Amino acid sequence: PATPGRAFSNPHTGEMPLDVAVDRFYTVDVFMHTWDLARATGQDDTLDPTLSAELLAGMEPIDELLRSSGQYGPAVPVADDAPVQDRMVAFIGRDPGWLP
């Protein structure tokens, strides 16, 4: 509770309140890696479709920034009408059809 007033600074994203940065980057990172871990261990990999859609909508306009950061690989092609979860994981460089 004492950290919202603290600043987070990053050369790629600029400065923002720490609580916003945690929510925007770290919470989202855990959400996306949930798919990786579930898929790799044969568990249910279903992600919340609303959050998946929000993330995809937020990431698409900053595609070049994300790829140039080195944290995202090339997007994997999927059909335009693929489920939103598949489009989101494909955007971040995962093959939604991959099975261990």
Side-chain angles (χ1 to χ4, degrees), residues 30-44:
V30 170
F31 176 79
M32 291 188 288
H33 284 301
T34 297
W35 183 89
D36 297 323
L37 293 170
R39 187 56 67 104
T41 58
Q43 298 181 58
D44 181 8

Side-chain angles (χ1 to χ4, degrees), residues 1 12-13 15 22 24-26 28 34 37 44-46 49 53 57 68 71-73 75 78 86 91 95 98:
H12 297 288
T13 60
E15 192 167 299
V22 167
R24 186 172 293 166
F25 304 118
Y26 301 105
V28 168
T34 297
L37 293 170
D44 181 8
D45 65 4
T46 305
S68 68
Q71 296 181 39
Y72 292 84
V78 292
D86 289 357
F91 180 87
D95 179 351
W98 173 79

Side-chain angles (χ1 to χ4, degrees), residues 45-77:
D45 65 4
T46 305
L47 299 175
D48 178 82
T50 301
L51 184 52
S52 294
E54 289 174 12
L55 293 178
L56 183 59
M59 291 186 296
E60 287 176 326
I62 58 170
D63 182 31
E64 185 177 326
L65 171 71
L66 295 173
R67 307 255 180 249
S68 68
S69 73
Q71 296 181 39
Y72 292 84
V76 173

Side-chain angles (χ1 to χ4, degrees), residues 7-28:
F8 171 87
S9 182
N10 179 286
H12 297 288
T13 60
E15 192 167 299
M16 67 186 68
L18 180 60
D19 61 331
V20 172
V22 167
D23 188 49
R24 186 172 293 166
F25 304 118
Y26 301 105
T27 302
V28 168

